[in-house]
Amino acid sequence: MIRAEGLSYAVGGVPIIRDLSFAAALAAPLLILGPNGAGKSVLLRLLHGLLRPDAGRIEVPGPQAMVFQRPVLLRRSALENVLFPLHGPEAAPRARAALELVGLSAMADRPARRLSGGEQQRLALARAAALAPRILFLDEPCAALDPAATRAVEEIIAHLAAAGTRIVMTSHDLGQARRLAGEVLFLHRGRLLEHTPAADFFTTPRTAEAAAFLRGELLWA
Amino acid sequence: MLLQGDPGFRRIVGLSLRVSLTAVAVAAMIGLPVGAALAVARFPGRGAVIAAMNALMGLPPVLCGLLVYLLLSRSGPLGQFGLLFTPTAMVVAQAALIAPILAALSCQLLQSLWEEYAEQLRSLGISRLGAVPTLLWEGRFGLITVLLAGFGRAAAEVGAVMIVGGNIEGFTRVMTTAIALETSKGDLPLAIALGLVLMLVVLGVNLFAWALRGWAQRSGH
């Protein structure tokens, strides 16, 4: 269960998130949708604790992990990247298992930064998965990837979700949102306009903004 | 003279290398962590500290030598150790001269690395100061160039080692002080020979570092 109450966040006096409240059980992946500049990524960072809200309360249980739009990999081998945040005798087998999960076992000893874009993002997913997070935040994880790599990443996310990891992610790709989402938060100009099951959101949006967004007519907040 | 390998000549070259390489090692142990900490830390007066460090990059060697002289002279605070006019004093002077250079350059280098890594490392639960060892390791290939800059400055300076070393034949005479002395005595062939060796040494060290970087890049880090 994650909960946000009266969340507000501004940068230089410009409000990015305005008085936002919601609670979600996360039984199925929660997709944060909205036009560019709606505040999706900022909301994700607030929930994960990378940003501190100006007002409001957040309850998110740990352990958490996050995967960013552009994978941030260390200048080391793929395996060492997964091992980096791990400790203890279980570290090595967990790292190996995570690489196996994302299909990069054969690349374990390759320098991480020499991998392709899709492989790098899968490696970032492996690093996050190896932490065995209760909640996994994903910020536009496929925004820079080609369709094949996108599909591979989606399969990993779906697999993690099926295995019990709670997923909270942003996406600008409506097809991807349809494929993955169980619930949708629809943001517009920093406000939460809809919080509905995905099936309802995509068929019968309640707000005019959401309907325009689904028709592809609302691209900028 | 170069080819015959005159023992006095060899001793001068050897001491030069020993003093300057030790000075780089000592300065690195202080300067690199300080530079990395300044790259990640946020505190009031940080800008002033960085500006002061940048200013110290231009510290005249003779002034640095004078300060170390006062520190190590019989009546100085560290006079009891009797270090003045020893190779150790020369190491201290050169390390003091280049530590600010290493700190300022590494700070600049690691700041851009920190911008790339900050969110990811915080997401993995690593504090700002906890990120210092990671940043130093991630920046290792760039830091080689920083160390080279420090070595070049240390090996080429004459004022500081002249003051604290005393240019004692067979004991604290290094290439630069020998060149200065032989030139004033009119023994130009010896001065020129020493100058050539000094340049060869600096060139050799740079080539080695260049090869190391090239190897690192080819191996994909």
Side-chain angles (χ1 to χ4, degrees):
Chain A
M1 170 69 107
I2 68 173
R3 186 193 301 275
E5 272 176 34
L7 219 51
S8 291
Y9 183 79
V11 175
V14 180
I16 308 291
I17 296 293
R18 310 172 195 230
D19 191 25
L20 188 150
S21 302
F22 76 94
L26 298 181
L30 176 67
L31 266 280
I32 302 173
L33 302 180
N36 287 313
K40 304 186 294 289
S41 291
V42 169
L43 175 58
L44 211 61
R45 282 164 173 74
L46 286 167
L47 293 173
H48 186 36
L50 291 178
L51 297 174
R52 188 169 300 173
D54 298 328
R57 278 181 352 108
I58 294 166
E59 282 173 39
V60 181
Q64 307 165 17
M66 181 155 171
V67 171
F68 297 86
Q69 181 172 342
R70 287 185 50 209
V72 184
L73 298 176
L74 304 170
R75 288 155 174 80
R76 310 174 188 200
S77 75
L79 179 63
E80 283 167 323
N81 266 276
V82 182
L83 280 171
F84 176 71
L86 302 177
H87 306 282
E90 285 297 297
R94 270 167 73 175
R96 296 269 178 199
L99 282 179
E100 180 76 42
L101 172 77
V102 302
L104 288 178
S105 291
M107 312 272 190
D109 297 322
R110 296 266 288 273
R113 291 180 167 248
R114 280 293 170 92
L115 300 177
S116 73
E119 287 164 350
Q120 291 198 16
Q121 192 59 291
R122 274 149 63 197
L123 181 57
L125 270 166
R127 181 171 57 193
L131 291 166
R134 201 152 146 205
I135 299 190
L136 175 59
F137 294 100
L138 301 126
D139 186 19
E140 300 269 6
C142 304
L145 303 184
D146 62 39
T150 296
R151 188 50 67 104
V153 166
E154 281 181 17
E155 278 171 16
I156 295 165
I157 295 171
H159 179 90
L160 289 172
T165 306
R166 310 303 171 97
I167 305 287
V168 180
M169 80 181 256
T170 63
S171 179
H172 71 278
D173 177 348
L174 281 175
Q176 174 172 72
R178 280 195 175 90
R179 289 191 290 274
L180 290 175
E183 276 181 273
V184 170
L185 291 182
F186 179 70
L187 297 194
H188 186 239
R189 293 181 183 164
R191 292 186 199 284
L192 179 61
L193 294 191
E194 295 205 28
H195 177 198
T196 42
D200 299 345
F201 179 80
F202 290 113
T203 51
T204 51
R206 292 201 304 259
T207 57
E209 287 87 351
F213 176 73
L214 287 173
R215 285 195 306 271
E217 291 165 8
L218 185 64
L219 299 177
W220 296 89
Chain B
M1 191 185 323
L2 284 177
L3 300 175
Q4 282 159 5
D6 172 58
F9 185 86
R10 277 211 311 252
R11 192 180 297 154
I12 290 175
V13 175
L15 183 67
S16 282
L17 276 176
R18 194 153 59 85
V19 166
S20 293
L21 288 174
T22 313
V24 170
V26 171
M29 280 189 275
I30 302 162
L32 297 188
V34 167
L38 275 174
V40 302
R42 293 291 176 272
F43 57 91
R46 175 177 175 269
V49 171
I50 291 178
M53 223 164 50
N54 288 336
L56 279 176
M57 287 212 291
L59 181 70
V62 281
L63 180 56
C64 177
L66 175 60
L67 294 174
V68 173
Y69 181 95
L70 293 174
L71 204 65
L72 298 182
S73 69
R74 282 273 169 235
S75 52
L78 300 177
Q80 54 185 342
F81 300 110
L83 291 174
L84 199 60
F85 304 128
T86 65
T88 306
M90 297 154 74
V91 169
V92 171
Q94 290 194 345
L97 188 69
I98 63 174
I101 299 177
L102 300 188
L105 294 182
S106 63
C107 177
Q108 202 172 18
L109 176 82
L110 297 177
Q111 236 170 341
S112 54
L113 209 56
W114 175 243
E115 275 168 30
E116 183 191 343
Y117 284 167
E119 275 198 322
Q120 179 68 68
L121 293 183
R122 283 184 57 207
S123 172
L124 294 174
I126 294 165
S127 67
R128 281 176 184 273
L129 286 181
V132 165
T134 304
L135 278 188
L136 286 172
W137 181 246
E138 292 300 306
R140 57 198 181 277
F141 299 115
L143 289 175
I144 289 174
T145 311
V146 171
L147 292 180
L148 271 184
F151 175 77
R153 170 88 161 160
E157 74 81 28
V158 50
V161 284
M162 184 74 94
I163 291 178
V164 304
N167 194 23
I168 303 165
E169 185 173 11
F171 185 49
T172 60
R173 181 163 298 171
V174 291
M175 283 190 275
T176 54
T177 54
I179 290 170
L181 178 70
E182 298 306 332
T183 304
S184 63
K185 272 166 52 185
D187 188 349
L188 295 183
L190 179 55
I192 291 169
L194 281 164
L196 278 175
V197 172
L198 183 56
M199 286 193 60
L200 282 175
V201 163
V202 172
L203 192 68
V205 170
N206 274 279
L207 277 176
F208 173 73
W210 177 76
L212 194 64
R213 272 199 89 148
W215 168 81
Q217 265 158 14
R218 273 194 307 281
S219 66
H221 298 283

